[in-house]
Amino acid sequence: MNVYDSERMADILAPVGYEITEGPDDADLVILNTCHIREKAAEKVYSDLGRLRLIKDGREGTMLLAVAGCVAQAEGEEILSRAPYVDMIFGPQTYHRLPEMVARAHRQAGTVLDTDFPPESKFDHLPAPSAGGRTSAFLTIQEGCDKFCTFCVVPYTRGSEFSRPVAQVMDDARGLAVGGIREITLLGQNVNNYHGAAADGEWSMGRLAAELAGIEGIQRIRYTTSYPADVDEELIAAHRDVPELMPYLHLPVQSGSDKVLSAMNRRHSADDYRRLVDQLRAARPDLALSSDFIVGFPGETDRDFQDTMDLVAEIEFVGAYSFKYSPRPGTPAAAMGGQVDKTEKKNRLAALQDLLNAQQRAFNESCVGRTMAVLLDGPGRHPGQLLGRSPYMQAVHVDAPARMSGEVVDLKIETAHPNSLAAVLAADERVVA
Ligand code: SAH
């Protein structure tokens, strides 16, 4: 979502004369768009700021420096005191006010701080997103979260749940399709709890996905990130009935232990998750799953961790993000007893990642010999090569003419690497055979 937000910041600054530069050295305005989800991401802001300050000092007052995003939202005052040379600090819900903030920053001496949760929606004030010559685009349909998982800062930094109206989403999607976008990834912190206002009531994400699939040019739809307890019948049905909805689902489970899931306030058990996966796989048998995991949540024992390993072994994921629990200021889990030792967290993470990596490799290897529809979206590593994405989000390299870029093409997978696949055009393959 930060990638999407950054693009929208560029969109709203374009009419007042800004364009993207290659790097910070010749920029008139540098915006650090930040993430607060784990301590490591948040701390990086201050080291990056130190580096940018040197560039700013050499520019004799011709460069503005801004901190945007969730660190700005959560730690605005701290940034002010640790880095008073920053010109603007603003959160994820106020960047539609950027032109006005820039004007103020030029006028006034001190830092412009805007970390409101404004009553108006920024989406009502942003220009229509542009395709920008690409084939795949993000589209935010939902923002914020009301779940209050005990480890998570999102409800405090992004604010409460908000769904964009259906008509606004459809307009953006049509515009992107006309601009050449073939694949849309719907975004939200809790995307499948989408309930967008429409003329005939509220639409779920399943219904929205089916409607988006009808837009001329849109060949692929994805969504992220979903919350297991909010997967409803309509969404499961969409996986069965809407071929444009890709057979790949990021469905964070966090832990395989009921005790830990309950302490996390996840509102589902490990067996609920297993049953949900069964229903989804029944609807779409070729569905591949990825997930998020946290190891070393307060109170997690060896037995609890083993429950996570067992769940992973059983479900078989094709990819995953896994993290050591990171206590976040202001969240309930940060104050819980039973914080897990650093070395223990490290060892558990290594064991979990070994298993997840082995599953990813096994899945990639199982693709060899198969023909897959791949969206070719740009140049590959070598001349004459294109890079694309399989339905399962695997990177696929193929020797193919540049004119095929932007098309969905059948490729025969020849080789599997840990993080990518190599393929030949299925049409060529038939000629050779
Ligand atoms: N609503 C989103 C949250 C995005 S954060 C979602 O459910 O995916 C992405 C992942 O970061 C989470 O799924 C979780 O696995 C991890 N995460 C969030 N807070 C964390 C924390 N305090 N420590 C470690 N990992 C965390």
Side-chain angles (χ1 to χ4, degrees):
M1 191 174 279
N2 269 14
V3 171
Y4 173 88
D5 286 340
S6 298
E7 288 171 1
R8 306 318 318 275
M9 290 179 205
D11 288 345
I12 196 147
L13 285 169
V16 289
Y18 286 92
E19 58 185 57
I20 303 279
T21 65
E22 286 292 315
D25 293 296
D26 54 349
D28 299 315
L29 166 64
V30 175
I31 303 176
L32 268 190
N33 194 12
T34 61
C35 176
H36 199 242
I37 199 78
R38 284 173 297 278
E39 191 180 356
K40 206 165 145 194
E43 270 308 311
K44 200 170 174 297
V45 175
Y46 295 98
S47 51
D48 282 352
L49 278 177
R51 199 172 42 81
L52 287 166
R53 179 191 197 170
L54 299 177
I55 300 175
K56 184 175 154 82
D57 285 350
R59 292 282 304 277
E60 292 163 358
T62 61
M63 183 183 122
L64 289 178
L65 181 54
V67 183
C70 291
V71 177
Q73 188 66 44
E75 301 181 8
E77 296 294 333
E78 187 175 346
I79 297 169
L80 263 182
S81 67
R82 281 175 73 174
Y85 50 86
V86 168
D87 300 290
M88 296 165 9
I89 299 173
F90 55 96
Q93 304 309 350
T94 51
Y95 63 75
H96 57 294
R97 299 174 177 167
L98 255 171
E100 179 192 324
M101 283 188 246
V102 168
R104 268 174 58 206
H106 276 300
R107 270 199 320 267
Q108 78 184 50
T111 306
V112 176
L113 178 73
D114 188 351
T115 50
D116 282 357
F117 285 113
E120 80 274 12
S121 156
K122 65 179 176 246
F123 297 105
D124 296 340
H125 300 268
L126 294 169
S130 62
R134 289 166 305 184
T135 55
S136 184
F138 290 130
L139 177 55
T140 292
I141 62 167
Q142 183 277 342
E143 240 190 289
C145 189
D146 299 335
K147 297 295 186 230
F148 291 92
C149 296
T150 54
F151 53 80
C152 190
V153 289
V154 166
Y156 313 98
T157 56
R158 287 262 171 192
S160 58
E161 286 189 14
F162 166 78
S163 294
R164 296 181 66 195
V166 168
Q168 210 180 58
V169 171
M170 293 296 293
D171 280 352
D172 278 3
R174 278 189 212 101
L176 290 169
V178 168
I181 293 296
R182 298 291 159 258
E183 175 180 85
I184 289 186
T185 302
L186 306 174
L187 297 181
Q189 269 80 39
N190 183 5
V191 72
N192 58 318
N193 197 27
Y194 178 79
H195 43 269
D200 59 351
E202 281 189 349
W203 286 25
S204 69
M205 208 198 62
R207 181 152 177 212
L208 180 73
E211 200 69 17
L212 287 166
I215 295 178
E216 170 93 35
I218 298 300
Q219 290 173 282
R220 298 185 156 193
I221 298 167
R222 304 178 184 278
Y223 57 93
T224 200
T225 292
S226 45
Y227 182 75
D230 283 340
V231 175
D232 62 9
E233 292 293 326
E234 236 170 350
L235 184 53
I236 296 172
H239 276 286
R240 186 187 59 223
D241 303 332
V242 181
E244 289 83 358
L245 197 52
M246 286 293 98
Y248 175 90
L249 176 53
H250 185 65
L251 193 62
V253 65
Q254 313 299 357
S255 169
S257 151
D258 286 344
K259 189 191 88 194
V260 172
L261 287 169
S262 162
M264 287 176 166
N265 189 30
R266 287 293 286 181
R267 306 167 198 228
H268 64 81
S269 66
D271 279 347
D272 291 336
Y273 187 85
R274 289 182 175 92
R275 273 191 292 272
L276 179 59
V277 167
D278 286 346
Q279 284 175 292
L280 286 158
R281 283 178 169 159
R284 181 86 202 224
D286 60 341
L287 190 78
L289 287 156
S290 71
S291 201
D292 288 344
F293 298 90
I294 296 176
V295 301
F297 185 82
E300 185 187 75
T301 61
D302 284 340
R303 178 69 245 164
D304 296 320
F305 175 65
Q306 190 54 45
D307 287 343
T308 301
M309 295 290 278
D310 292 348
L311 182 85
V312 172
E314 209 179 303
I315 303 264
E316 297 188 355
F317 295 95
V318 307
Y321 300 102
S322 46
F323 314 98
K324 287 179 272 191
Y325 168 69
S326 168
R328 307 306 292 128
T331 58
M336 285 179 187
Q339 299 285 331
V340 175
D341 171 76
K342 233 166 83 183
T343 316
E344 189 56 48
K345 281 193 217 177
K346 196 171 140 215
N347 292 342
R348 287 180 191 170
L349 186 66
L352 176 62
Q353 290 186 340
D354 277 351
L355 178 58
L356 289 164
N357 288 339
Q359 291 188 339
Q360 182 174 345
R361 274 198 308 277
F363 178 67
N364 285 352
E365 274 153 25
S366 78
C367 294
V368 173
R370 287 175 60 182
T371 298
M372 284 186 192
V374 173
L375 173 59
L376 298 173
D377 54 9
R381 223 173 295 148
H382 311 295
Q385 207 180 47
L386 291 179
L387 177 63
R389 290 268 165 196
S390 79
Y392 311 106
M393 288 294 278
Q394 296 147 300
V396 188
H397 295 274
V398 62
D399 285 331
R403 66 174 161 75
M404 282 190 173
S405 192
E407 289 177 28
V408 176
V409 177
D410 276 348
L411 301 185
K412 172 122 187 270
I413 309 303
E414 299 231 296
T415 324
H417 305 289
N419 293 311
S420 67
L421 302 172
V424 294
L425 293 169
D428 284 359
E429 210 262 342
R430 274 195 293 276
V431 175
V432 175

